[in-house]
Each structure stands twice: as structure tokens, then as C-alpha cells.
Amino acid sequence: MSNFTVVETETLQQGITRLFGGDSTISESTPVAGGCINQGRRLRLSTGTTLFCKKNTLENEGMFLAEAQGLAALIGLCSRVAGPRVPEPVGLIQTAHNQYLLLEWIDTGRKTLRSTQEFAVALAALHSAVVTTDELPGSVPRAAADETVPIPEAGSPVRQYGFVGNNYIGSTPQINTWNTSWVDFFARHRLGYQLDLARRNGLTNSSMLTLADAVLQRLPELLPEPDHPSMLHGDLWSGNIMVDAHGSMVLIDPAVYLGHYEADLAMMELFGSPGPSFYEAYEHTAPLEPGYEDRRELYNLYHLLNHLNLFGGSYRGSVMRVLERFS
Amino acid sequence: MSNFTVVETETLQQGITRLFGGDSTISESTPVAGGCINQGRRLRLSTGTTLFCKKNTLENEGMFLAEAQGLAALIGLCSRVAGPRVPEPVGLIQTAHNQYLLLEWIDTGRKTLRSTQEFAVALAALHSAVVTTDELPGSVPRAAADETVPIPEAGSPVRQYGFVGNNYIGSTPQINTWNTSWVDFFARHRLGYQLDLARRNGLTNSSMLTLADAVLQRLPELLPEPDHPSMLHGDLWSGNIMVDAHGSMVLIDPAVYLGHYEADLAMMELFGSPGPSFYEAYEHTAPLEPGYEDRRELYNLYHLLNHLNLFGGSYRGSVMRVLERFS
């Protein structure tokens, strides 16, 4: 994140001037749809630069920093291993009441027959990479770790699951406390955290909690420990995959952490599947382990629980079906 | 297609002036990716209008007219039944060597959680509509009909399968000769036509042709006749579904004809599925018939054969697998 700067100013315009030099003014500002939580705009600067600008209130201060950190982590690794394209975070401007995340503008184009295949190969390369602590943004030790789990040491391959800081899945906090066991990490910080939240939100009942307990107990037999932690996008539904002007698929809005790559693949199927040509190309680089189709639902239970927490009761049926299947 | 005009001029600029009035000039022309066959550009006019412009050589004369006709048919019906958004064809400019299809510019945005559900409901509404001949573009009688099949009469519901003219699936001609039987239509003008083409292209062998004969023989027991002919997009893979600035899905590049709606749904799954939330919402409007999952592959055999013809041997394996399954 060498080029990423955080500036505090009175107005967005002043922030732009600080980031891009004295001549830079906003010559055009157009609303852009997308993103349920933030308000997006395309900014054209007098210098010719075009930016994507997301606005949020200052209360959600950590959200944009976490996003920029996740993007930076993906960009670094993707450039080493020929992973998917990721928009570059350019800067964060904080005013008295608002904050603005500035990202590289991506001109959108149309999918070609090659788009999916090339994306599959790139994603498999990202997932196959062994990440070293040098490739994690920020200072690694500031992240918390479960009990006696050692925090990754500088310069070594990361053998833990988690990330250098928490981030968000939608607007729900996503806990990335380091843990040496993927299954324990997923039980505590993914399913367990969302279940607690649902309970506190009054969205559970006793049968849901009983089933959920049973699933959490069975988790070590249901889920395998991966070969190595993979850098995950973390929120890889189809709405977070853009197509750029060259027809390449671009990863946006990540909720990055190190985990089992199957969790990323599963999320891609929650609201629409990438199709057989994706898997053929992915498996050419990184063959799937048997039983992935069964585990997929279990990994997506995390997102269903999150949707239950974010959007309420209409997700209860889907949650219950998965709990009944695996309890 | 009341606003659609075809003009012959020396240059694209002259055509723009003819279509949009004496003051209109092209102030900006930017290449836009997408579309394997045509070269796309975004044109900004001095009047402020933005257009999507597709260029092709004059040899493929019928291609753009067929596309405009298909778009017009979809727009008419979609406006009556609250179907999906479709870009409006604005005009066709023919110069000495080239032709330019001008379409309404669609600002692209991002998928939201609602995008797929709303699209599913809109597509189900399109598929459920009974089309009358008034809603078909051009003069109906100019289309050919198989043997003694009556050409649809003006003002009446269309009970035939086909369209007012042939069009293209990719760059392959798609034959839309009217036929009162869906199964016979699909056997002759979809599977049969592509098989003939593959044979003439030297892409078949005797085992493929034997299996294909067996499948064509079995077709009346494998496929049902629909309740009524549905207006189909005809080439509904994910690359032909854009997301507009409001997060709504937009149908582009159609290969329109009247057929069984399952053929449209099947194509949506060939290179990636719309996911369970799509089907839940679709079935809320138009429940699927049992056995669709089996028929899906058979409908997609048409597109696999077309890909065999367009892109060659790498599709032979997929074609053979489907033929073996249904022969």
C-alpha cells in the first residue's frame, strides 16, 4: 500500500488537491450504482484522472481502511502469481462527517467466452499461493491470536488462518483472529460469531440453536484442514466480480483473510454458479478435493447466517435446511 | 421499430448528422470491449446523446437488421408485460464498406441482491406472455413456413414456433421457419441444422452421426410441446446479460424466436448458472415443469453444436457426452 495515503481535510475537493497536487480539481462527479452500503461516484479530475469514490459516514471508520488493506493484500499477491485483477486503492479522505475511499476506476466491458476460463486459472493461482508475512499489509503483530496460537513471524510462510486485522462481511464485522486450525477458526469466528449475533438479534429459536450446536460439534469430521492457508477474497458472490474493458474479471469489495480456498468457491455459488467451464479451468491449475460439493453448503452457512443478521427472517428457512442436513 | 431508421451515407459522421439533425457531430469515440464478432464503441454526440455503436463489414448485412428486429420485438413485449430491460435500437448506418448499428447506451452498474430476483420475475413474465402477430416486427408473411404450416395470421395469437425472419446465433445463421410443432422445429432447425453444418465442416465422424440420428428419432419422447410459444432471447448466456446503473439486468445481443421457454433457461446455465434465488423467483411467476433438468442438456446441445461449428474440435467431447446420454 505504498501509494495509499489517508488525509484529513475539510472537504473532498481539498482532499483531492492534497492527494493529487495543487492543480487537481473535480471536473465531473457522476453517481454510480452498486454496493448496498456505500454511495458510489465516478470522479473525473481536471488532470484527466478518473477515480471511483465511495462515500461513508465517519462512524464506519474501519470499513474503508479494512477494504483498502484487503485490496492491497490481493494486489500484491496477484501480481506475483498472476492472480485476478483488483482495483488499486488510491487514498482515503476524511472530512468532519464523512470519509471517501478513492479507488482506481475500472472501465466496464463485456464477458467473452474466455473471461470465465481465464478468471478460473487466475483465481486458482491466487488460491494455490503460499503467502509469506511480507505479503501481509500493515504490521502483522497488531492482529490478535486465539489463546496460545503464535502470531505469524516476519518473513516466514503464514501457517495460520485469519488476517492482520478484522474487516467486514457486508456491514457485519468479520473476525480474523489468528488460529492454527482452519476448522477451529471457521467454527469460532465464522459460524460461531454469526450465531451469537443472531441470538443477540433475537433471530434464533431453541431448535435452531440446538441444531447449530450439533453442527459445530461435528465440524472436525465434516471439514478438512487445508494443505496451506490461501488468501481469500472472502465475499466472492457474483456481484463482487466486475468485467473490465478487456473482458477480464476483476475482484472488488473483498473481505480478505487466509482460509480454505473452498470457502471462496462456495460463495461463488451462493447467488449463481460460475458454471462447468469455470471448474474445468480451475481444476487444471488446482484440482478440487473430493466432497467439495457437500462442504460447499456448510461454508455458505456463514453467509446465510450473515444474511439472516443483515436482512432478517426470510433467510431462516435456508439456515435451518443446512443445519438439519449437517447436524 | 418506429424510431429505427436505416441510412446509407459515405461516412459514419454523415449518417449521424442524417439521423440526429444538422448540428450533431461525434465529439468522442471510445472503444468498448465485448462482443466476439463486432467491434464496439461508445459515441458521444455534440448534442449530449451517448450511443453504443457496433461496426461490421457490409458482407454481414443481415446481422444488424436481425439484431434490431429482435431487440424491437423484445422491447415491445417487455413493455407490455414488465419484462427485462432491453436497449433500444436507434439506427443503422451503411457506408460503402461498413455498417454501424446504433443502440441506446446503457450505463453499467453493479449487481445487487435484488438484481437476480427482479430479473427472474421479469424474464418469467416475458416467457409467460402469449404473443400476437401485431407484436412481431416487420411484415409477418415474408417469413417462410415448413410445408403446410400456416404462417401466423395478422392480429391473432402466434401458435407457431419460429420468427418473422432468420437471424444469427453467434455468426451462424439461425433458421426460424415457422412450424406448428416445437419438437419438429427444434429437431429440424436447431439440432438438425447445426449437425448438417458440422458434417459439411468436416467436424463429425460416423459415431457422432449415428448417435445424433438416434437422438433426433427419440426427440418426440424426450421433449414436450409447450403450452404456448414464448418469445425467447435465444442466446441467453451470462455474457449477454448486462447490469445497468440501477442494478437491473439488461438483455443484449438477442437471437429472438418463439419457442419453449426452457430453451432460454437452459442457455443461462451453459456458462454459469443464475443460482437458486433466480429459480425461486422465476417459479413464483411461472413454475417449471418436472424433468426440466434433464431437458436442459438437450436444449444446450444446440449451443454446443454451434460452438463446435464456430470454435472447432474442443467442443466435440461435450457434444458426444450429451449424444451418448440421450441416444
Side-chain angles (χ1 to χ4, degrees), chain A residues 166-236:
Chain A
N166 294 338
N167 42 30
Y168 294 85
I169 185 77
S171 56
T172 310
Q174 173 164 278
I175 310 303
N176 294 322
T177 306
W178 293 111
N179 192 310
T180 41
S181 158
W182 162 246
V183 181
D184 191 45
F185 175 87
F186 191 74
R188 287 187 196 206
H189 304 307
R190 294 296 177 262
L191 299 189
Y193 182 83
Q194 292 281 353
L195 280 163
D196 271 359
L197 209 57
R199 197 173 42 73
R200 279 183 280 140
N201 289 340
L203 291 161
T204 58
N205 54 32
S206 61
S207 66
M208 189 190 280
L209 291 173
T210 309
L211 288 172
D213 265 349
V215 172
L216 288 175
Q217 290 296 320
R218 287 193 63 207
L219 221 52
E221 46 182 297
L222 293 171
L223 295 181
E225 294 290 336
D227 276 355
H228 68 272
S230 298
M231 177 97 75
L232 307 186
H233 175 283
D235 192 9
L236 200 53

Side-chain angles (χ1 to χ4, degrees), chain A residues 33 108 110-111 238 245 253 272-273, chain B residues 33 108 110-111 238 245 253 272-273:
Chain A
T108 53
R110 283 172 46 197
K111 228 174 163 176
S238 51
D253 289 357
S273 149
Chain B
T108 54
R110 284 171 45 195
K111 227 172 164 177
S238 51
D253 288 357
S273 149

